[in-house]
Amino acid sequence: MRLKFAISAALLCAAAAFAPAFAADSYPSRPITILVPYAAGGPTDTVARVTAQSMSKILGQTVIIENALGAGGTIATARAARAEPDGYTLLVHHIGISTAPTLYRHLSFDTKTAFAPIGLITNAPMTIIARADFPPNNLKELIAYIQTNGDKMTFGNAGLGAASQLCGMLFMIAVNKQIQTIPYKGNAPVMNDLMAKQIDMTCDQTTNTTGPIGSKLVKGYAITTKKRLASMPDLPTADEAGLPGFEVGAWHGLYAPKGMPDEIVQKLAKTLQEALRDPDLVKRFNDINTDPVSQEEATPQALQAKLISEIDHWAPIINAQGQYAD
Ligand code: ASP
C-alpha cells in the first residue's frame, strides 16, 4: 500500500515536471487572440496585424486581432492583465502603456508587474500634420500661427494615454500654447476627420500617415525622429525645423498576462523574432516607414526593461502637466 502510494506520488511529480514542456509543445492548439487598444485601420492596429500575420504563418495557427477600444487604451490593457495566462490572449500596445500608469489614477492593475512581456516589435516615428488646406506652410509658420490662432484650433488624438496625446502634449509644451483636443478611439477616425477637414491637426505615426502625406491628403510639417526619413526626404525633423530637441517615437511591444508558463513565453519570443525577420513583414513595415527592432530587443528582458524605464521617464513630465483621468 505504502509502495503503491510512493509510486503514484512519483508518477504525479514526473507528470507535473513535464506538464509545462508538454503544454508548450502542443501550443498553440487553437486560435490566439491579440487585443489591440485602438480602432481598426489605425497605426497600432496596422503594426499588430502585420506582426500577427507573420506569427500565424510561423505557428501554423490563426491569430485573431480584437480591437478593444476606449479609455485611452486602458480597457484593452486591463483585459489583457486579467486574461488567463495560457498564451491564447495577448496584447499589442505602444508607448501609451507606459504613460497610462501616471495619467490614470485608478488602474485596476500594476503595469510594471501585470504582464509577461514577450518582446519589442517596432519603434514608429511620428509626424506633425494638419488638414490639407491649413494655412501655415512649414513648421515655423505653424508655430507662429498657433500663437495667434491656437485658441480656435482643434487637435485630434486617440484619448488620454495615446501616443498622439503624448506627442500633442509635448508639442503644446514646446509651442507654449494649449490647443483644444478632440479625443477619438484611435487614429483611424482621427485621420478620417483630418482628411475631411473637420479638425485642424494631430501628431500621428508614420504607419498611419505615410500614405496621406504622400498623396497630399494632409499637410506634413515635421517628423519627430532625429534624422529625416529616406522615403520622405522633404519632411524636416521637428528639431531642425523649429522645435529644438523635440523627439518622440511610438515603440510597440507584445505582452501576455503574467503567470504564463515560461516555455510559452520563450516560444512566443522566438516566434516574434522569426516574424521580425520575415521578408513580408520587413517590406510591409518599410512601406509604412517603420523598421522591425533588432533580435535582441525582441525579447522579454528588453521589453520589461523598456517598460519600466519608460514609466519612470514619463511620470515626472506628465505630473508637471497635472492632467489626469480616473
Ligand atoms: N496609436 C495611436 C495613438 O496612440 C492610436 C491608434 O493606434 O489608433 O495615437
Side-chain angles (χ1 to χ4, degrees):
M1 185 68 181
R2 197 175 279 169
L3 178 68
K4 209 168 160 192
F5 174 77
I7 290 173
S8 10
L11 284 176
L12 273 177
C13 288
F18 285 110
F22 179 74
D25 283 351
S26 58
Y27 170 84
S29 58
R30 57 186 168 87
I32 297 171
T33 297
I34 296 184
L35 298 171
V36 168
Y38 304 104
T44 315
D45 180 73
T46 301
V47 165
R49 279 178 204 270
V50 172
T51 309
Q53 232 168 48
S54 288
M55 288 184 70
S56 161
K57 243 188 338 194
I58 297 160
L59 291 168
Q61 188 55 261
T62 307
V63 181
I64 299 159
I65 298 293
E66 184 184 334
N67 302 87
L69 313 183
T74 57
I75 287 178
T77 323
R79 262 190 63 191
R82 279 197 313 267
E84 204 55 49
D86 56 6
Y88 292 99
T89 306
L90 308 176
L91 169 76
V92 166
H93 204 332
H94 61 26
I95 189 170
I97 196 170
S98 69
T99 56
T102 309
L103 290 165
Y104 287 80
R105 292 174 193 268
H106 300 294
L107 285 184
S108 57
F109 53 94
D110 175 357
T111 308
K112 284 186 179 173
T113 58
F115 301 102
I118 307 296
L120 283 152
I121 303 172
T122 186
N123 188 12
M126 301 193 73
T127 48
I128 298 168
I129 58 175
R131 57 183 159 85
D133 60 349
F134 208 47
N137 285 315
N138 55 50
L139 189 64
K140 280 219 166 84
E141 283 183 25
L142 175 66
I143 296 166
Y145 184 89
I146 289 172
Q147 302 312 311
T148 40
N149 300 284
D151 296 339
K152 294 174 273 183
M153 284 174 57
T154 48
F155 191 111
N157 70 24
L160 200 63
S164 44
Q165 180 264 328
L166 177 67
C167 182
M169 182 190 87
L170 298 173
F171 178 77
M172 289 174 218
I173 296 171
V175 302
N176 197 23
K177 189 92 187 167
Q178 282 305 307
I179 302 169
Q180 188 198 347
T181 54
I182 313 284
Y184 293 75
K185 289 189 172 159
N187 271 95
V190 171
M191 184 57 86
N192 286 342
D193 273 6
L194 194 66
M195 292 192 300
K197 307 184 177 89
Q198 301 295 311
I199 53 172
D200 292 322
M201 67 174 295
T202 189
C203 176
D204 189 7
Q205 297 158 52
T206 50
T207 43
N208 204 36
T209 64
T210 296
I213 293 176
S215 46
K216 300 208 179 328
L217 291 169
V218 299
K219 210 176 225 182
Y221 288 101
I223 183 113
T224 64
T225 38
K226 277 210 176 93
K227 281 197 205 146
R228 291 188 186 209
L229 296 182
S231 62
M232 291 193 203
D234 297 337
L235 195 66
T237 68
D239 177 79
E240 68 186 338
L243 297 174
F246 191 94
E247 196 192 341
V248 62
W251 56 271
H252 295 72
L254 177 66
Y255 305 81
K258 86 161 172 233
M260 199 162 80
D262 193 51
E263 286 78 0
I264 298 185
V265 172
Q266 297 309 330
K267 184 159 189 172
L268 283 170
K270 276 212 171 59
T271 307
L272 176 63
Q273 288 151 17
E274 197 178 329
L276 296 180
R277 298 193 302 267
D278 175 2
D280 289 344
L281 176 144
V282 174
K283 179 175 183 322
R284 291 187 66 192
F285 272 14
N286 286 346
D287 288 346
I288 49 176
N289 278 305
T290 192
D291 294 316
V293 297
S294 70
Q295 296 282 288
E296 293 72 38
E297 291 171 292
T299 58
Q301 300 79 348
L303 179 55
Q304 181 65 16
K306 180 84 175 171
L307 180 64
I308 305 263
S309 75
E310 287 279 285
I311 290 174
D312 294 343
H313 170 75
W314 293 113
I317 299 169
I318 292 166
N319 284 330
Q321 296 307 300
Q323 196 194 356
Y324 302 106
D326 283 330

